[in-house]
Amino acid sequence: MRGTDISPGSIFGRLTVVEVYANPNKASHTRVLYMCKCSCGSVAHVTKANLINGNSKSCGCLNREITSKRSKTHGCSRGNRTYKTWKSMMSRCYAKGYSNYPFYGGRGITICDRWHSFENFLEDMGHRPAGLTIERLDNNGNYEPGNCRWATRKEQCRNTRLTVWVKCLGVRVRLPALIEATGISYSTVYRRLYRGWSVERAIELEGYAS
């Protein structure tokens, strides 16, 4: 690096070296700084090391543009409900420590390769409407285009009724229909049943330890 010649007029990315001067900060181990003019018109003061190794390619405008471009790709922050849905979907299929993993990834439910990218998921599904959640039309199928839609909780229960049956007090009934009658959330009852509780115990009042 010491043998590398940097003189006025040298170009590094968007930066053009204008002047070389002594570093006024006596506490710094860097003896000289390079005053550079950025293509955007701003001026930056950069060390030789950062110019040579490529850490400094602009006055900072390049990083700001990259960040802005990424955010405009889908216009969703991490707090956006569509992003949260995608993140939860990924977690329940691939994060073994996630509470609902046993009901999804644990039983072989996966996500198509295309939807491992949030941008692709958003392009195919659109923004999640208020009050709706993602539903798989085939409950034994994967998360992929053609098998998913935005649906209400009630619509999801109706879909689940096609496959989930239980015995309660000796009578065979559809689990979601039973849950609707009790008013307890489906996820709470499902967790209780997974832990080995009887159906009768699982549909006790919500206040019962879950």
Side-chain angles (χ1 to χ4, degrees):
M1 182 182 298
R2 292 181 180 178
T4 303
D5 181 35
I6 298 180
S7 56
S10 298
I11 298 175
F12 298 86
R14 295 184 177 185
L15 298 175
T16 300
V17 178
V18 176
E19 181 182 346
V20 182
Y21 66 98
N23 190 344
N25 183 3
K26 295 182 180 180
S28 174
H29 68 278
T30 304
R31 296 182 179 180
V32 298
L33 288 176
Y34 295 81
M35 184 174 73
C36 303
K37 185 173 182 180
C38 184
S39 59
C40 72
S42 299
V43 173
H45 302 275
V46 191
T47 65
K48 180 177 182 178
N50 284 335
L51 287 175
I52 296 298
N53 60 27
N55 286 342
S56 296
K57 296 181 180 179
S58 73
C59 65
C61 63
L62 180 58
N63 286 335
R64 290 193 294 271
E65 287 178 13
I66 292 174
T67 300
S68 177
K69 184 177 181 181
R70 286 175 178 171
S71 64
K72 289 180 180 178
T73 299
H74 49 70
C76 294
S77 66
R78 291 182 181 273
N80 179 275
R81 60 172 171 257
T82 310
Y83 182 85
K84 285 183 176 180
T85 294
W86 175 80
K87 192 69 175 178
S88 294
M89 177 183 71
M90 294 293 292
S91 295
R92 57 179 172 260
C93 287
Y94 299 112
K96 293 184 178 180
Y98 194 72
S99 60
N100 285 332
Y101 174 81
F103 315 128
Y104 295 87
R107 66 185 189 92
I109 303 299
T110 62
I111 301 170
C112 67
D113 291 341
R114 174 174 168 78
W115 281 6
H116 282 221
S117 161
F118 173 66
E119 287 77 13
N120 290 339
F121 173 77
L122 180 63
E123 181 180 341
D124 294 340
M125 291 293 295
H127 289 279
R128 172 185 158 190
L132 304 186
T133 57
I134 191 168
E135 176 194 39
R136 284 170 296 118
L137 301 178
D138 176 3
N139 286 306
N140 294 313
N142 299 320
Y143 287 99
E144 58 189 353
N147 192 44
C148 293
R149 66 168 182 167
W150 298 118
T152 64
R153 292 288 185 185
K154 192 169 185 179
E155 288 172 330
Q156 291 200 39
C157 283
R158 288 173 179 168
N159 184 30
T160 307
R161 289 174 192 169
L162 298 175
T163 55
V164 181
W165 292 78
V166 294
K167 276 191 176 183
C168 182
L169 301 176
V171 179
R172 186 171 181 266
V173 295
R174 294 184 177 94
L175 179 59
L178 184 62
I179 293 174
E180 279 187 24
T182 63
I184 303 176
S185 71
Y186 185 80
S187 59
T188 296
V189 176
Y190 207 158
R191 283 197 299 271
R192 291 174 177 178
L193 293 174
Y194 182 77
R195 292 171 184 171
W197 291 23
S198 67
V199 174
E200 290 79 5
R201 186 187 177 201
I203 61 174
E204 296 249 352
L205 294 179
E206 183 87 42
Y208 197 100
S210 60

